Amino acid sequence: MTTTPTLDGARPESAPAGRRLLRVGVAAGVATALVGGGLTAVTALPAEAATHAKASRISLSVSDRTYQRSKPPTLTIRSTSGGHSFSGKAVVFLGGKTYKKVWLRHGAAKLHLSKYLSLGKHTVRVTVYPSSSTVARSSATTSVTATRYSSRVVEQAVRYKGVRYVYGGSSPRGFDCSGFTRYVYKHATGRTLPRSSSAQRHVGRVVSRSHAKPGDLVYTPGHVGIYVGAGKIIDAPRPGKTIQVRSMWRTSWTFIHVSNSATTI
């Protein structure tokens, strides 16, 4: 068997020219690739470029955060960077799922939320992808509550259906008529009504039945309730009964639109 002699002290053969070119290209931030039998240089984006993007800010506003499901509110999106608006694409997520994609015009966009949302509270998240690479992507969240009723007062009141009548009661453990309306108004609107039904008769403006709105008080001597609409009320009726939505059983009701300044008297 024969062997090929080598020269002692000889330096290994230099790397092929193609490899040297690749090393130089990588060191310079240029990736070299073989495409279709030729060499194509693809310039890599400097790592520090992303850190130079300007911060952006998104503001979200909803025309009605608690709304009747059949009448969805409007969501308004505004985007700014350094005090100036910017264009781009906004992706709206409802309950973690993509709802809509809209384009920002002069830094703003509006859209109606879905009328098919399930009842209850929902998180709305918006992510904006700026058209300019010099502005950073950003996100913002808000929340809305879809209800069955058009009135926050009614929506609060129906939570206590089935609670028993208790004379002098003013909590979910038991209500009398005026204790119920007082409790509901306080938690739905922040307004504190007087304790007695006769005093609640004077907390606002009397309106006709045709002008009454859901959430208005309904009064008859010795009793008070809350108008639901369509000829129905919700109230704490009398001992032995529970809070329910029911038809108005008489025609002599007084409808009262509660004043914004209603307080305890």
Side-chain angles (χ1 to χ4, degrees), residues 148-233:
R148 184 177 286 109
Y149 301 96
S150 60
S151 164
R152 296 181 185 181
V153 172
V154 175
E155 189 66 30
Q156 181 73 27
V158 297
R159 296 180 183 181
Y160 308 107
K161 287 195 298 184
V163 173
R164 64 193 180 96
Y165 180 98
V166 172
Y167 181 78
S170 58
S171 77
R173 293 190 297 272
F175 290 109
D176 64 11
C177 68
S178 58
F180 174 61
T181 52
R182 176 184 168 96
Y183 185 92
V184 167
Y185 259 87
K186 178 64 176 178
H187 286 79
T189 70
R191 304 170 196 164
T192 303
L193 302 184
R195 182 59 181 88
S196 69
S197 60
S198 58
Q200 289 182 15
R201 160 66 178 79
H202 301 286
V203 295
R205 176 170 54 90
V206 174
V207 297
S208 65
R209 185 176 186 136
S210 61
H211 288 87
K213 296 180 179 180
D216 286 346
L217 292 179
V218 288
Y219 171 81
T220 191
H223 189 66
V224 68
I226 295 170
Y227 186 54
V228 173
K232 295 181 181 295
I233 65 170

Side-chain angles (χ1 to χ4, degrees), residues 72-90:
T74 300
L75 172 68
T76 301
I77 306 167
R78 290 187 174 85
S79 56
T80 58
S81 177
H84 302 284
S85 61
F86 61 87
S87 60
K89 180 178 69 176

